[in-house]
């Protein structure tokens, strides 16, 4: 019999999942999907498709009270086990945004681990509680099922000291206030994938632009994170869909002192009302909508996004002494030929050139033959990385 692995990526109102069966060398995807509408006063919607993309489930499930995920998770596990065939569910792996200073690699879950991760909630208030909720619920339902947590911060855990520190008194760094970095599971996958596609570049100086609703960039040298655009929390760095990105702390003080905004109001402003949504005047946080709009505010939001991405390439290139490959990934990075072209146009001084036909068709390699370095558009797969880590820790 084969071994089945469940991967869970839980958000505030949804649970995304993937199911894999292990073989001798890697994991084979069986199905993936999501359970939407949790805790928002609507009937939960369950959707799943098989590895070929065929819809295998599209149903409304009974609603449960906010925070009572056990019943829905139990039904999800029952559905998964019905679709595993001869395989047996052996473990579950989870994406957790923040591992803090204490967790620099995936680990098996126990009570101590769960308590430690709950204590980090203030560092990722919009992610951490929702990442952890299904872990506790699944432990209640299936106490004998091993669970593994994989951290978005782990890939960046060994950055150089200068890439971690803020210009604050030393005691704050010693207390854990430093630049952690995020989207590490995505960067880890891209690093492995580029090794298959262009081993020489992968062993050199690589800049990866993870451009989705969440946005960050990473400078990687010899397969290891050297520096990243995002820091202490997931609101830092580049402008995102609804998050502001890096901000002069004087603006925070001004909003507190002059406008009377408290911590809750500031959190809502910086996390939910800013970014593409805020700069576009509330039009949308979706790059596709903004690019299709004639509104000047939409154009300004797109221009600011592209400018900041191109500018960050220059900063990260300094951290690793140049560029051997530039990789675009995540929703915008994988699917927007216009964003890739415009970013590379601003980087023309570096000798980068795109092949228009390859870029427009979303080929894996989109750079021209005479480009000074390769440019790639590689789909990320954080779920597969979680499955690999889960298999390694549970099955060996």
């Amino acid at each position: 019999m084969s071994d089945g692995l469940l991967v869970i990526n839980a958000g505030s109102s949804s649970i995304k999942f993937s199911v894999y069966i292990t073989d001798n060398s890697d994991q084979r995807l069986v199905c993936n999907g999501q359970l939407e509408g949790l805790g928002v006063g609507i009937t939960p919607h369950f959707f799943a498709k098989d590895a070929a993309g065929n819809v295998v489930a599209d149903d409304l499930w009974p609603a449960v009270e906010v925070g009572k995920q056990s019943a829905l998770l139990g039904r999800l596990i029952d559905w998964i086990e019905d679709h595993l065939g001869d395989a047996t569910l052996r473990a579950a792996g989870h994406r957790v945004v923040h591992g803090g200073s204490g967790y620099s690699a995936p680990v098996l879950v126990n009570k101590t681990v769960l308590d430690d991760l709950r204590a980090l909630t203030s560092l990722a208030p919009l992610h951490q509680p929702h990442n952890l909720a299904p872990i506790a619920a699944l432990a209640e339902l299936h106490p004998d099922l091993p669970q593994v947590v994989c951290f978005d911060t782990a890939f960046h855990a060994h950055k150089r000291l200068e890439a971690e520190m803020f210009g604050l008194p030393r005691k704050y760094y010693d207390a854990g206030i430093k630049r952690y970095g995020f989207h590490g599971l995505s960067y880890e996958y891209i690093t492995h994938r580029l090794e298959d596609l262009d081993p020489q570049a992968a062993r050199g100086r690589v800049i990866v632009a993870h451009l989705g609703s969440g946005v960050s960039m990473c400078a990687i040298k010899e397969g290891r994170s050297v520096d990243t655009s995002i820091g202490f929390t997931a609101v830092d760095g580049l402008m995102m869909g609804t998050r502001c990105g890096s901000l002069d702390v004087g603006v925070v003080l001004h909003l507190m002192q002059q406008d009377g905004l408290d911590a809750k109001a500031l959190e809502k402003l910086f996390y939910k009302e800013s970014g593409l949504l805020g700069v576009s005047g509330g039009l949308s946080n979706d790059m596709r909508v903004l690019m299709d709009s004639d509104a000047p505010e939409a154009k300004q939001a797109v221009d600011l996004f592209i400018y900041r991405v191109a500018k960050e390439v220059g900063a990260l290139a300094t951290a690793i002494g140049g560029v051997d490959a530039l990789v675009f990934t995540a929703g915008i990075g994988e699917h927007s030929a216009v964003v890739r072209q415009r970013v590379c146009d601003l980087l023309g001084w570096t000798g980068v050139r795109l092949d228009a036909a390859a870029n427009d068709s979303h080929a894996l390699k989109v750079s021209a033959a005479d480009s000074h370095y390769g440019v790639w558009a590689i789909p990320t797969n954080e779920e597969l990385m979680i499955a690999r880590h889960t298999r390694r820790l549970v099955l060996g």
Side-chain angles (χ1 to χ4, degrees):
M1 295 179 66
S2 301
D3 296 316
L5 300 174
L6 168 62
V7 172
I8 291 179
N9 184 354
S12 59
S13 61
S14 69
I15 294 177
K16 296 179 181 178
F17 71 93
S18 298
V19 180
Y20 294 86
I21 289 179
T22 65
D23 57 30
N24 292 329
S25 59
D26 208 345
Q27 285 67 240
R28 173 173 60 86
L29 180 67
V30 176
C31 60
N32 57 20
Q34 62 182 359
L35 188 56
E36 302 174 302
L38 305 182
V40 292
I42 63 175
T43 303
H45 176 215
F46 177 70
F47 178 85
K49 58 185 179 181
D50 63 20
N54 302 308
V55 175
V56 293
D58 190 353
D59 303 306
L60 296 177
W61 283 8
V64 295
E65 297 177 37
V66 175
K68 301 292 185 181
Q69 292 187 357
S70 297
L72 290 176
L73 273 172
R75 184 166 178 174
L76 175 61
I77 296 296
D78 290 342
W79 185 92
I80 287 170
E81 291 180 331
D82 287 341
H83 288 76
L84 275 175
D86 292 334
T88 300
L89 185 62
R90 291 290 306 277
H94 301 262
R95 172 182 177 244
V96 173
V97 165
H98 219 302
S101 298
Y103 294 96
S104 58
V107 294
L108 281 162
V109 174
N110 58 34
K111 184 180 183 302
T112 299
V113 170
L114 205 52
D115 288 344
D116 289 346
L117 298 181
R118 285 184 177 128
L120 300 174
T121 294
S122 63
L123 304 186
L126 299 190
H127 298 85
Q128 202 83 349
H130 308 298
N131 295 162
L132 301 181
I135 300 175
L138 197 53
E140 178 183 329
L141 283 168
H142 294 278
D144 296 328
L145 184 70
Q147 298 191 73
V148 172
V149 283
C150 303
F151 306 102
D152 268 338
T153 50
F155 185 70
H156 309 290
H158 303 290
K159 300 189 309 297
R160 57 196 294 177
L161 186 66
E162 301 94 314
E164 283 193 339
M165 297 190 75
F166 293 111
L168 293 171
R170 184 66 183 232
K171 64 180 181 180
Y172 294 108
Y173 176 80
D174 294 340
I177 297 179
K178 62 182 182 180
R179 302 183 68 251
Y180 289 96
F182 298 92
H183 296 130
L185 291 163
S186 176
Y187 294 129
E188 185 180 11
Y189 175 81
I190 294 298
T191 299
H192 289 297
R193 186 74 178 103
L194 190 61
E195 180 69 35
D196 295 333
L197 297 169
D198 188 343
Q200 183 175 352
R203 291 190 289 268
R205 303 161 299 180
V206 180
I207 294 176
V208 183
H210 179 106
L211 311 180
S213 58
V215 177
S216 73
M217 294 174 64
C218 185
I220 300 168
K221 188 172 184 179
E222 299 176 353
R224 296 170 65 91
S225 173
V226 174
D227 203 350
T228 181
S229 64
I230 201 167
F232 180 62
T233 67
V235 74
D236 188 29
L238 299 167
M239 183 177 74
M240 310 180 205
T242 62
R243 288 173 257 172
C244 61
S246 296
L247 192 67
D248 182 342
V249 294
V251 174
V252 181
L253 296 174
H254 175 85
L255 293 173
M256 294 172 64
Q257 296 166 354
Q258 300 300 317
D259 291 4
L261 272 62
D262 61 12
K264 282 294 182 184
L266 289 170
E267 180 181 290
K268 182 180 179 183
L269 173 64
F270 297 150
Y271 278 94
K272 297 184 177 180
E273 299 175 342
S274 299
L276 292 172
L277 178 66
V279 176
S280 69
L283 179 61
S284 180
N285 66 337
D286 191 317
M287 180 64 73
R288 295 164 296 186
V289 173
L290 298 178
M291 285 188 163
D292 287 340
S293 174
D294 294 327
E297 296 85 357
K299 181 181 183 302
Q300 290 165 1
V302 173
D303 290 348
L304 178 57
F305 181 91
I306 290 168
Y307 171 76
R308 290 293 306 277
V309 170
K311 183 179 176 182
E312 193 68 27
V313 172
L316 293 175
T318 300
I320 51 177
V323 186
D324 296 310
L326 172 62
V327 181
F328 292 91
T329 193
I332 298 171
E334 294 169 23
H335 299 120
S336 179
V338 174
V339 168
R340 293 193 297 263
Q341 183 65 66
R342 289 188 58 188
V343 168
C344 289
D345 285 346
L346 289 176
L347 294 171
W349 62 273
T350 67
V352 68
R353 303 284 184 272
L354 292 193
D355 180 311
N359 188 46
D360 291 343
S361 64
H362 305 292
L364 278 174
K365 190 170 187 179
V366 297
S367 51
D370 63 347
S371 181
H372 185 64
Y373 50 88
V375 182
W376 301 79
I378 302 177
T380 193
N381 196 335
E382 295 157 305
E383 290 77 17
L384 180 56
M385 287 309 311
I386 296 171
R388 288 174 176 171
H389 288 306
T390 301
R391 174 186 173 173
R392 175 179 55 82
L393 286 175
V394 176
L395 304 178

